[in-house]
Amino acid sequence: MIIKAMIVASVLTLAAAVGLPMERGFAHGQDDARAARLPPRMLRCRLGRVVNFDPSRDQPVAEYLYDGQHRLTLFLPDAPIRTTPPPDATAVPEPVDARTRIVADPDGIAGEAASRPFQRVVDLWPSRVEMMTPLNEVVANVIVVAQVSPDQAETTIFMARANDATTYDMQHLYFGRCRVAQS
């Protein structure tokens, strides 16, 4: 259930990939330097490849079976707190802070995405963070961070390769948990 909802929401939200003015949709005061900001976050994650995902039904996470356990570390830099909804799926995405990156992927589960910049990031922390890196003209690596714990120390993570909201690579479907360190 969680993966299906995340795939649909993420791929629909992360469709386009060119720039908009950075100030659109973010909190700004009289002085941009004092605007409300999210802290930098380092996410140290353990993901398993989901081997029994059933897209035909809302499948509970408790039913997922995993092949292996993989580490992935993400860095989310400080960012203005969003005060408006993110851009529509058909709108041009906002610029991405180049510091947003995959810091470590020792097993290579993110593939070429680990060495490429993210083209779209929608940081709605602590609700969710949606990230997309194109791997080629057809396929993108999609990461969704969601279900942040009340103390913001843990979260879930989903990662998949997808063409659109209904076409994703079942061999590259990962789900897991992250420990969050904030600066």
Side-chain angles (χ1 to χ4, degrees):
M1 177 167 86
I2 188 92
I3 289 180
K4 190 173 185 179
M6 287 179 162
I7 290 171
V8 171
S10 300
V11 177
L12 288 174
T13 302
L14 302 173
V18 273
L20 269 184
M22 193 60 155
E23 62 275 2
R24 185 173 177 177
F26 296 105
H28 291 282
Q30 291 180 345
D31 180 355
D32 282 350
R34 294 185 314 202
R37 298 188 69 81
L38 296 167
R41 292 136 296 159
M42 184 73 70
L43 285 69
R44 290 181 174 82
C45 309
R46 294 229 179 245
L47 297 90
R49 186 174 69 84
V50 180
V51 295
N52 68 329
F53 179 66
D54 183 354
S56 69
R57 66 185 181 96
D58 288 335
Q59 184 179 15
V61 173
E63 286 184 12
Y64 295 161
L65 299 176
Y66 301 96
D67 178 21
Q69 188 177 78
H70 308 278
R71 291 182 295 138
L72 184 77
T73 305
L74 295 171
F75 177 69
L76 303 172
D78 63 311
I81 292 175
R82 179 171 289 286
T83 58
T84 62
D88 184 78
T90 59
V92 177
E94 299 157 336
V96 175
D97 187 325
R99 298 175 296 161
T100 306
R101 67 188 181 284
I102 296 173
V103 175
D105 179 18
D107 296 332
I109 62 172
E112 296 172 19
S115 63
R116 295 182 180 187
F118 287 99
Q119 273 199 352
R120 185 160 182 143
V121 175
V122 178
D123 194 339
L124 302 170
W125 189 270
S127 173
R128 65 191 288 125
V129 180
E130 301 171 354
M131 309 164 78
M132 187 273 297
T133 305
L135 299 176
N136 58 45
E137 292 178 10
V138 179
V139 178
N141 191 65
V142 176
I143 296 174
V144 179
V145 175
Q147 299 178 335
V148 178
S149 64
D151 65 358
Q152 297 188 27
E154 291 187 349
T155 187
T156 62
I157 185 170
F158 160 78
M159 183 172 69
R161 293 182 190 166
N163 299 70
D164 55 46
T166 59
T167 311
Y168 41 92
D169 183 345
M170 297 296 284
Q171 296 303 308
H172 292 94
L173 205 73
Y174 295 89
F175 187 76
R177 298 209 46 84
C178 305
R179 298 197 56 114
V180 180
Q182 295 185 19
S183 303

